[in-house]
Amino acid sequence: EIDVSANENGTYTFAMPDSDVSVSAVIAWDKDTPYHISTVIENTKPGSVTDEPNNLVILSDETPVAGDSVTVTLEPEVFYRADSVTLDGVELTAQDDGIYSFVMPQKHATLKVSFVPKDYTVSLGAGTTEHGKLTASRTSDLNYKDSVVLSATPDDGYYLKSLSVNTAGPATTAIDPDTTTVVSGNVETTEYGYNSYTFEMPADDVVVNCVFAKIPPREYEVAVTIADPATGTVSVVPPHAPAGDT
């Protein structure tokens, strides 16, 4: 048996005997040793967004000990969603409440979270095909701030009376048939050309509706000339009317 002395720096020394020596050691796990979790966030930005998103990953403990349960809460911006969450390459599955959890391994670990843009849709209401047709340049796989162009083609004898562009909910998507406002809704819309309008996708699905109304007939004025106004007056009812009216 050889005397071994422990040093303050964690090493051990012994005096070499006049023979070969075999060294063996037993390393015990210190259950109170904390380990570090490195968080890597990958953001796939929509083509129309240049600013870096503020997608958050919140850990219940960033330096847990082995065996501890760690929860992961994701707080993406409204137009993002989590695409994948992995711990050292192993996929984690969200619980019913959307929170992820794992048991800390006996080592440092890397948590990788990938965020991707949400996809939105544009729905065309029933009015978009009555007495004309309203089309959208895109209706699916749309991201936040993507541009959409609406084009109206009225049937002969009709015109685009009103157009509404609203988020899917909560919003009023019906149009008052007596409205005098051509464009309405809670989505900002601008004129793009004759019978065309454009808007940027909000962080929500969009519902579009419109009213094609019959073009009113042209009215003509009835002019009355009296040779001698002193002899009397002549009145015409109505003073103007479309062709064919009495």
Side-chain angles (χ1 to χ4, degrees), residues 205-233:
D205 295 331
V206 169
V207 177
V208 179
N209 216 331
C210 71
V211 171
F212 291 106
K214 194 171 183 63
I215 298 174
R218 180 180 176 182
E219 293 188 345
Y220 298 91
E221 184 178 354
V222 180
V224 178
T225 301
I226 302 175
D228 186 0
T231 61
T233 61

Side-chain angles (χ1 to χ4, degrees), residues 126-150:
T128 59
T129 57
E130 295 178 356
H131 307 302
K133 188 175 184 180
L134 183 77
T135 60
S137 57
R138 296 176 62 188
T139 58
S140 62
D141 298 327
L142 288 154
N143 299 145
Y144 176 64
K145 285 195 172 183
D146 280 355
S147 294
V148 178
V149 177
L150 303 173

